Amino acid sequence: MAGLQLKNIRKSYGAVDVIHGIDLDIKQGEFVVFVGPSGCGKSTLLRMIAGLEEISGGEMYIAERLVNDVPPSQRGIAMVFQSYALYPHMTVYDNMAFGMRIAKESKEEIDRRVRSAADILQLTKYLDRLPKALSGGQRQRVAIGRAICRDPKVFLFDEPLSNLDAALRVATRIEIAKLSESMPDTTMIYVTHDQVEAMTLADRIVVLSGGHIEQVGPPLELYERPANLFVAQFIGSPAMNVIPAKITAAGPQTTVTLTGGKSVTLDIPTPASENGKAASFGIRPEDLQIATDENFLFEGTVAIVEALGEVTLLYIEGLVDGQPIIAKLPGILDIKRGQKVRFTGDKAKLHMFNSEGRSYRS
Ligand SMILES: Nc1ncnc2c1ncn2[C@@H]1O[C@H](COP(=O)(O)OP(=O)(O)OP(=O)(O)O)[C@@H](O)[C@H]1O
Ligand SMILES: [Mg+2]
């Protein structure tokens, strides 16, 4: 089984620790996406899996084989980078065949694999072209094709679409989703900064920060049940609003009083020891609604209106110092800057975190 196991994987550059002990099991055929802020260690982790970066501590298994000291070429992996680096003087066919020629594969086998990869990626009619005569998206597909030809057990992608324009990103993302479906036994690990890529491609998302894992789970689980404030504000765009609050009645249900004085009772149990403690109250922009009665959560002044057509974003000031609350409401609204608006939200979709940022729901 070509799954992966990472056991207490560490990386340091001299005295600087950048990966602090990652434990992760990835099943064969799984599509796992790494996300996290710039510098959190996503590429480093991927490069350690590929064998391009030495592992400072811990054990890495690919298909149940300890690979810490196995060179990249013998790990059964293929990697696609952000910059596709094709050979400019070689045709698409030759670019894809290159690795196999070096490996002294037979002509027939090379031809079979190149044509099969070209077919999957809709590159058949470009096989005789040079890279300069291709669009950015087509070039990136050639880079992916080159990786497919190596017939890897594990496919690694490091932000493969970030050089492409918006429309090409969408088209190539869909190609990658299809590719993964057509190779159900191939494990894929994919690094991205793009929320939509992470949410749509992943079987499971790994959220990293500062060289450790914050949470691992299926996309919608991370969205609906973030384990902590970091994940809550990292997954989802615009980010979840967080309002400082205080627990005023702990119990099987919990009452919190928000900055601004309003109280709300949630179906989230908390132990009596939490009474009186500071907490953070979270609500996603898309879970806010305009209140039509006295039963509102908070009131604020509209500072900015962003009408995007399908949705309107309202930036509300006057509640949390220096940070607007964002509401994402469907359609086009007749609301102006300076207007006072009251908001409410579906109680089942509200979040609450303790003073250390851990969710009370999990
Ligand atoms: N050769 C190196 N020497 C010292 N520090 C390094 C080296 N390579 C990377 N780092 C550090 O390791 C950390 C992780 O880097 P990495 O490239 O893995 O981040 P990343 O999550 O991929 O970021 P990005 O989203 O910007 O690509 C960073 O703080 C970086 O400065
Ligand atoms: Mg990176």
Side-chain angles (χ1 to χ4, degrees):
M1 295 292 275
L4 270 90
Q5 277 178 302
L6 278 62
K7 292 189 176 164
N8 197 21
I9 288 293
R10 298 174 172 274
K11 178 72 190 177
S12 34
Y13 292 104
V16 185
D17 294 334
V18 296
I19 301 284
H20 303 285
I22 298 272
D23 290 302
L24 184 64
D25 271 4
I26 298 174
K27 289 195 288 290
Q28 177 173 15
E30 209 177 0
F31 200 128
V32 169
V33 175
F34 291 171
V35 298
S38 187
C40 70
K42 305 178 294 294
S43 296
T44 305
L45 199 52
L46 209 62
R47 292 171 59 82
M48 283 197 281
I49 294 171
L52 300 172
E53 202 75 70
E54 204 179 308
I55 296 168
S56 310
E59 290 166 356
M60 170 108 54
Y61 296 86
I62 299 178
E64 273 136 47
R65 169 184 178 212
L66 183 66
V67 296
N68 285 47
D69 298 316
V70 174
S73 59
Q74 287 165 35
R75 291 192 185 193
I77 50 104
M79 191 152 168
V80 178
F81 299 92
Q82 178 177 345
S83 56
Y84 18 81
L86 302 177
Y87 297 107
H89 57 289
M90 288 186 197
T91 62
V92 167
Y93 188 104
D94 290 338
N95 263 285
M96 292 210 269
F98 186 75
M100 290 182 285
R101 286 189 181 135
I102 297 286
K104 303 242 182 322
E105 296 280 358
S106 73
K107 238 180 162 162
E108 295 70 33
E109 179 62 11
I110 292 174
D111 195 62
R112 189 189 65 76
R113 288 205 218 162
V114 169
R115 290 189 188 282
S116 149
D119 184 45
I120 291 172
L121 294 163
Q122 295 172 30
L123 288 169
T124 305
K125 63 180 177 210
Y126 306 112
L127 283 173
D128 295 330
R129 286 210 198 163
L130 291 175
K132 68 175 182 216
L134 298 176
S135 74
Q138 289 161 346
R139 283 180 215 175
Q140 189 56 295
R141 290 197 328 246
V142 177
I144 295 170
R146 192 170 51 182
I148 294 175
C149 286
R150 303 187 50 191
D151 195 18
K153 293 192 290 260
V154 182
F155 230 119
L156 307 176
F157 296 91
D158 196 353
E159 304 196 48
L161 309 187
S162 50
N163 280 346
L164 309 182
D165 72 28
L168 264 180
R169 281 186 87 121
V170 174
T172 316
R173 182 183 86 218
I174 291 166
E175 286 312 321
I176 290 177
K178 284 195 219 150
L179 173 68
S180 146
E181 261 173 47
S182 70
M183 303 169 78
D185 294 331
T186 308
T187 309
M188 307 227 172
I189 307 177
Y190 189 103
V191 170
T192 184
H193 276 112
D194 186 294
Q195 291 271 339
V196 180
E197 283 172 28
M199 296 300 285
T200 56
L201 290 172
D203 293 317
R204 283 191 303 159
I205 295 178
V206 178
V207 182
L208 293 158
S209 99
H212 69 266
I213 292 180
E214 293 282 350
Q215 192 175 357
V216 183
L220 291 178
E221 188 178 303
L222 300 199
Y223 177 83
E224 289 174 343
R225 291 274 182 276
N228 56 46
L229 263 178
F230 182 88
V231 176
Q233 294 202 283
F234 196 81
I235 301 287
S237 177
M240 183 187 287
N241 298 297
V242 174
I243 303 174
K246 193 172 150 179
I247 296 184
T248 40
Q253 290 186 308
T254 304
T255 304
V256 280
T257 304
L258 310 190
T259 301
K262 275 288 195 174
S263 291
V264 55
T265 301
L266 303 173
D267 266 334
I268 302 174
T270 44
S273 57
E274 298 299 288
N275 242 326
K277 286 200 177 157
S280 297
F281 174 86
I283 183 154
R284 295 199 180 275
E286 55 274 31
D287 292 334
L288 282 167
Q289 292 126 34
I290 290 179
T292 48
D293 55 23
E294 286 303 303
N295 203 4
F296 61 93
L297 270 174
F298 64 85
E299 184 176 51
T301 308
V302 177
I304 300 172
V305 180
E306 288 183 340
L308 302 176
E310 59 161 338
V311 293
T312 301
L313 298 181
L314 301 178
Y315 292 71
I316 314 298
E317 283 182 348
L319 195 73
V320 185
D321 278 345
Q323 202 195 326
I325 300 285
I326 304 177
K328 186 179 191 177
L329 301 165
I332 298 164
L333 303 175
D334 185 24
I335 292 182
K336 302 265 171 324
R337 239 181 95 192
Q339 211 170 313
K340 269 203 184 309
V341 185
R342 290 171 168 181
F343 288 95
T344 180
D346 178 355
K347 278 191 185 179
K349 291 183 172 167
L350 304 178
H351 301 260
M352 207 172 54
F353 305 90
N354 72 11
S355 51
E356 271 105 57
R358 293 223 66 80
S359 174
Y360 281 112
R361 280 200 195 272
S362 50

